[in-house]
Amino acid sequence: MTQGKKKKRVNRSVLLAKKIIIKDGGSPQGFGSPSVYHAVIVIFLEFFAWGLLTAPTLVVLHETFPKHTFLMNGLIQGVKGLLSFLSAPLIGALSDVWGRKSFLLLTVFFTCAPIPLMRISPWWYFAVISVSGVFAVTFSVVFAYVADITQEHERSMAYGLVSATFAASLVTSPAIGAYLSDAYGDSLVVLLATAIALLDIFFILVAVPESLPEKMRPASWGAPISWEQADPFASLKKVGQDSIVLLICITVFLSYLPEAGQYSSFFLYLRQIMKFSSESVAAFIAVLGILSIVAQTIVLSLLMRSIGNKNTILLGLGFQILQLAWYGFGSEPWMMWAAGAVAAMSSITFPAVSALVSRTADADQQGVVQGMITGIRGLCNGLGPALYGFIFYIFHVELDENPIGDSEPRDKVTTSHSQQNSIIPGPPFLFGACSVLLALLVALFIPEHTNLNMRSGNWKKHGAGHSHPHSPPAPGEGKEPLLQDTNV
């Protein structure tokens, strides 16, 4: 009796949520037909708003945690990344059932919620940043949105465009934020970032149409998600039973772990060790962003057509090893600029991996699959910054000056630790290069071409009934969050 009551309560909750989230029978709302450009605008506005806060965030971080700034930064990002890892499969699975638009709205809203708190209370700002990791999976929903509306041969280019948009949002926003902060104060920057975040939310509400096909929705609603499907640890256990998925996930983990750590601490590193000015840091981000846009659009498209999906991934990993080693041994500013150009070429890896993943998943499983990959990246977003901060701490690299403000004279900077480590100025980056080298060795075993018919057929044995109308699933059987049969 208790189980029956629980099932009724769950069904009532599901029906109520469907009525709230999707009205009018799930009819698409927004301007025009769903397109990649809708996803691109959502990503651009969200990360442009956060890009504006690059300079103020470094200042507030140093003022709030004057001791062991790298470690505290790693802890904050670590909690956020762990929560993202835990929530990404659930949000991806729910978006497969209820549509992408509602979860785009949720992820953008909660990801941008901490922005106005920067001037209200720095402690609450960093606390809410950590908690916002529950919904900080916009890329997961966006990639699923793109997969809904593109053909298989178009996805690598579409994913590259989305990733390039992320880079484009960082081309000018840090420089604009730094200039406005110096000229008018941080309050104006926070106000502008908040306004852009609200514009993004309004755009999703009014202009973004639903991408999940109408014909898939009734069948999807007939097969509610299970907790096993949304449990990230259960997904990881099942990933271990699938050799191809396991190789892809290990490659993503080993390659994105150093990238996440690098992204969280590199601006501080440029200021502390390389003695970049705030203008130089903003210019570095702009140039790197422009080169990344070219790499993730034109270069990625040419490589995917000429050398194939797998070789594109391998080439991107090779560039990443080179740039991390260069960052680790580089002791002059020109070396950082040269390594930055190589880093732009390494940005082709993740869109190529996303294209490979999407080729092996059914149309109604794109959210689950991309949610798994994004969850692993979320885990890396937690472990990477903490690991980099710990390695900086071990090698006695501490933030001895305000990382952005130029009010302190240059000769007050403590340089004894950097002189002691002149042979290897950036130890965490060398660790990252070794990690990516392991990722490259693992990626060598990923097959270039998979037997999609066999894999799709095996999937459908465990999947939802609408993907195979002649063999309906057994009652209570949930959709497997895998790219292929779990018996392999």
Side-chain angles (χ1 to χ4, degrees):
M1 294 294 294
T2 56
Q3 292 181 353
K5 290 181 179 179
K6 288 182 180 179
K7 289 182 179 179
K8 289 181 180 180
R9 290 177 182 176
V10 171
N11 291 334
R12 289 176 183 175
S13 300
V14 170
L15 290 175
L16 179 60
K18 290 172 183 174
K19 290 179 181 179
I20 295 174
I21 295 178
I22 303 175
K23 299 180 180 180
D24 302 328
S27 58
Q29 301 175 357
F31 294 156
S33 301
S35 68
V36 178
Y37 299 107
H38 289 99
V40 161
I41 294 175
V42 171
I43 286 292
F44 180 84
L45 291 176
E46 176 181 335
F47 288 98
F48 188 87
W50 278 107
L52 289 172
L53 298 179
T54 300
T57 297
L58 296 180
V59 174
V60 174
L61 181 66
H62 180 59
E63 292 176 350
T64 308
F65 309 105
K67 294 184 178 181
H68 308 313
T69 308
F70 282 113
L71 282 177
M72 292 307 301
N73 178 61
L75 178 62
I76 294 168
Q77 298 297 330
V79 174
K80 180 180 179 180
L82 179 61
L83 293 177
S84 174
F85 164 73
L86 295 175
S87 65
L90 175 60
I91 293 179
L94 289 174
S95 73
D96 282 334
V97 177
W98 293 339
R100 317 297 184 197
K101 178 174 180 175
S102 301
F103 288 93
L104 278 176
L105 183 63
L106 284 175
T107 55
V108 171
F109 175 81
F110 284 101
T111 302
C112 296
I115 292 178
L117 296 177
M118 177 181 285
R119 300 308 299 168
I120 299 174
S121 172
W123 283 94
W124 275 107
Y125 170 70
F126 291 113
V128 175
I129 283 181
S130 300
V131 178
S132 69
V134 175
F135 291 97
V137 289
T138 306
F139 267 105
S140 172
V141 185
V142 164
F143 279 138
Y145 188 98
V146 171
D148 292 339
I149 58 178
T150 55
Q151 299 297 323
E152 181 180 308
H153 65 279
E154 301 173 333
R155 284 178 189 160
S156 61
M157 185 64 180
Y159 289 152
L161 183 60
V162 173
S163 299
T165 301
F166 167 74
S169 66
L170 298 178
V171 170
T172 57
S173 56
I176 294 174
Y179 171 76
L180 293 177
S181 178
D182 292 338
Y184 304 102
D186 291 345
S187 298
L188 178 63
V189 181
V190 173
L191 179 62
L192 180 60
T194 303
I196 293 176
L198 292 175
L199 176 63
D200 196 10
I201 295 172
F202 180 77
F203 176 78
I204 297 173
L205 280 172
V206 175
V208 175
E210 178 56 58
S211 66
L212 202 61
E214 285 286 331
K215 60 183 179 181
M216 293 174 57
R217 286 188 172 229
S220 297
W221 286 7
I225 66 169
S226 64
W227 286 114
E228 182 182 9
Q229 179 183 357
D231 182 4
F233 298 101
S235 299
L236 291 180
K237 292 178 183 178
K238 293 179 180 180
V239 165
Q241 302 172 11
D242 184 331
S243 59
I244 297 178
V245 179
L246 180 62
L247 292 174
I248 294 175
C249 290
I250 293 176
T251 300
V252 171
F253 179 82
L254 292 175
S255 63
Y256 194 70
L257 181 67
E259 183 177 341
Q262 172 186 334
Y263 181 77
S264 68
S265 60
F266 189 62
F267 302 148
L268 297 179
Y269 179 78
L270 290 178
R271 292 287 288 142
Q272 173 70 7
I273 306 301
M274 293 296 113
K275 309 301 184 294
F276 274 42
S277 65
S278 58
E279 292 80 8
S280 298
V281 172
F284 184 92
I285 297 173
V287 172
L288 185 62
I290 293 173
L291 294 177
S292 297
I293 293 172
V294 176
Q296 295 174 12
T297 52
I298 300 174
V299 176
L300 177 64
S301 178
L302 293 175
L303 290 176
M304 291 288 287
R305 286 198 299 262
S306 59
I307 65 176
N309 206 154
K310 176 184 174 180
N311 291 330
T312 301
I313 295 174
L314 296 178
L315 184 62
L317 293 175
F319 280 119
Q320 188 176 0
I321 294 172
L322 179 59
Q323 60 103 352
L324 285 171
W326 211 337
Y327 282 148
F329 287 110
S331 58
E332 298 294 334
W334 71 265
M335 296 181 180
M336 298 296 102
W337 286 96
V342 179
M345 287 299 302
S346 70
S347 64
I348 64 176
T349 304
F350 183 63
V353 170
S354 298
L356 179 64
V357 168
S358 69
R359 289 168 48 194
T360 56
D362 283 347
D364 62 324
Q365 299 294 324
Q366 294 293 333
V368 174
V369 174
Q370 298 294 347
M372 286 173 52
I373 300 299
T374 303
I376 292 176
R377 285 165 59 92
L379 184 62
C380 293
N381 283 330
L383 298 177
L387 183 62
Y388 267 50
F390 183 67
I391 296 176
F392 275 126
Y393 177 75
I394 290 177
F395 284 85
H396 306 291
V397 180
E398 289 297 334
L399 190 63
D400 297 320
E401 66 160 340
N402 191 317
I404 292 298
D406 291 326
S407 57
E408 296 289 335
R410 187 66 57 89
D411 56 5
K412 289 187 179 181
V413 180
T414 302
T415 60
S416 59
H417 297 316
S418 62
Q419 290 174 353
Q420 294 174 3
N421 298 316
S422 58
I423 298 177
I424 306 177
F429 302 109
L430 288 183
F431 168 81
C434 295
S435 177
V436 180
L437 178 60
L438 293 177
L440 178 63
L441 296 177
V442 172
L444 288 173
F445 294 94
I446 299 176
E448 172 67 34
H449 301 288
T450 57
N451 192 337
L452 295 178
N453 293 330
M454 181 182 68
R455 291 167 65 87
S456 179
N458 288 334
W459 177 282
K460 291 172 183 176
K461 292 178 183 178
H462 302 273
H466 68 274
S467 60
H468 197 346
H470 299 292
S471 58
E477 183 178 358
K479 294 180 289 186
E480 297 284 355
L482 280 180
L483 306 190
Q484 71 169 32
D485 187 11
T486 56
N487 295 324
V488 175

